[in-house]
Amino acid sequence: MATSRFIKDSGLTARMTLTMFLLAVLFVGLVALVISYVNSAGGAVAVAAIAIGIAFWQWWSSDKVAMRAMRAREVSPEEAPELHGMIDRLCALADMPKPRVGVSDLPVANAFATGRSPDRAVVCVTTGILHTLDAEELEAVLAHELSHVAHRDVLVMTIASSAGIAAGLLMRFTQFGGLGRSRSNNNGALPVALVVLLVSLLVYAVSFVMLRVLSRYRELCADRSGAYLTMKPAALASALQKISGDSAAATPTKDLRTANSASALCIVPAFAGGISGLMATHPPLQLRLEQLARIQAELSRPNG
């Protein structure tokens, strides 16, 4: 895997590895359970093909799905010269390939990165953020998003989310596909649909929790990495405060529904107010600001 000048984070690597491993085990177990109750070899093959197809489609089309959800389009250097210029400079500083650049036609200030690989990555900003931040703050936000690409946590989030989606679809397949009852003729055997429903709910619940835990940590990691790359943590802190205030302001309901599905990818929650606690996809703003203040103090020390 290609390296960059973004700081390494063993905690992020460990969390991504654990998330992928546990979700893979649960997902494979769910597929195996469904197959074990199918009454024909053709049906078993169909279940396996559906599961693989769901995972592949989610991986292959991740950038298109996120861009569509955020009403974004790719822009050329001629269309957005200043935005491309910033990303060119940051990619040269980070020694990483330049991703594609997109602009989302949403008035709320936000930014996100998506894509199945660094070669297919897209860093996207909303028109709202272009009107809200100054150049230094926007550069800090772009460094944050490029860190997601360099650390490949966007790819891991995309693949990991497939488990929950696939679990839901397999559950529907079981309910409406006529898998019938267990092959066992024992009176105490549970109906197939009930067994698969319970396991599907378990996979979805674990996926839901782990993705949110990973999402919160990766945002803190990207804040750190972006701040150290630009050496301007105060600019990112200022940007986060402005963006969070903009997101909390009144935003058309249609825009909130549009952005909600891609909220976990954004630098701040894409809907007003956000969600706290276990449900949150982002760490509290105060925690992010405290981390950036510590980095600013570190960089301000003589020989720091």
Side-chain angles (χ1 to χ4, degrees), residues 46 61 86 99 179 193 226 235 288:
S61 61
M86 281 188 182
L179 292 184
R288 300 174 76 172

Side-chain angles (χ1 to χ4, degrees), residues 51 66 80 118 147 149 200 216 225 234 269:
S147 169
V149 175
S200 298
R216 292 195 291 271
S225 300

Side-chain angles (χ1 to χ4, degrees), residues 107-109 244-256 271-273:
V108 62
S244 297
D246 183 82
S247 295
T251 306
T253 303
K254 181 179 179 181
D255 289 335
L256 294 179
F271 45 93

Side-chain angles (χ1 to χ4, degrees), residues 30-116:
L30 173 61
V31 174
L33 176 65
V34 174
I35 290 176
S36 70
Y37 282 109
V38 174
N39 294 321
S40 67
V45 172
V47 171
I50 290 171
I52 294 172
I54 292 169
F56 179 80
W57 178 84
Q58 184 79 356
W59 169 77
W60 182 262
S61 61
S62 59
D63 55 334
K64 296 178 182 177
V65 171
M67 293 277 282
R68 191 178 304 117
M70 294 292 288
R71 296 213 314 250
R73 61 184 177 86
E74 189 174 349
V75 294
S76 67
E78 291 73 27
E79 293 175 288
E82 293 183 5
L83 184 59
H84 271 270
M86 281 188 182
I87 293 179
D88 283 333
R89 290 192 297 273
L90 288 170
C91 287
L93 184 61
D95 190 23
M96 64 178 289
K98 180 184 177 182
R100 292 174 293 152
V101 180
V103 172
S104 167
D105 186 26
L106 288 175
V108 62
N110 226 317
F112 68 96
T114 185
R116 62 179 181 267

Side-chain angles (χ1 to χ4, degrees), residues 217-252:
Y217 187 89
R218 81 187 192 104
E219 290 302 329
L220 289 172
C221 175
D223 285 348
R224 284 193 300 272
S225 300
Y228 279 117
L229 182 73
T230 62
M231 304 294 283
K232 298 176 181 177
L236 180 56
S238 176
L240 288 174
Q241 288 175 302
K242 286 185 179 181
I243 299 170
S244 297
D246 183 82
S247 295
T251 306

Side-chain angles (χ1 to χ4, degrees), residues 237-297:
S238 176
L240 288 174
Q241 288 175 302
K242 286 185 179 181
I243 299 170
S244 297
D246 183 82
S247 295
T251 306
T253 303
K254 181 179 179 181
D255 289 335
L256 294 179
R257 288 198 303 266
T258 300
N260 188 28
S261 60
S263 181
L265 296 176
C266 295
I267 191 170
V268 300
F271 45 93
I275 299 176
S276 59
L278 187 63
M279 299 281 286
T281 55
H282 293 69
L285 175 62
Q286 188 59 37
L287 182 62
R288 300 174 76 172
L289 296 179
E290 289 172 357
Q291 174 181 249
L292 292 170
R294 289 193 297 270
I295 296 174
Q296 181 67 57

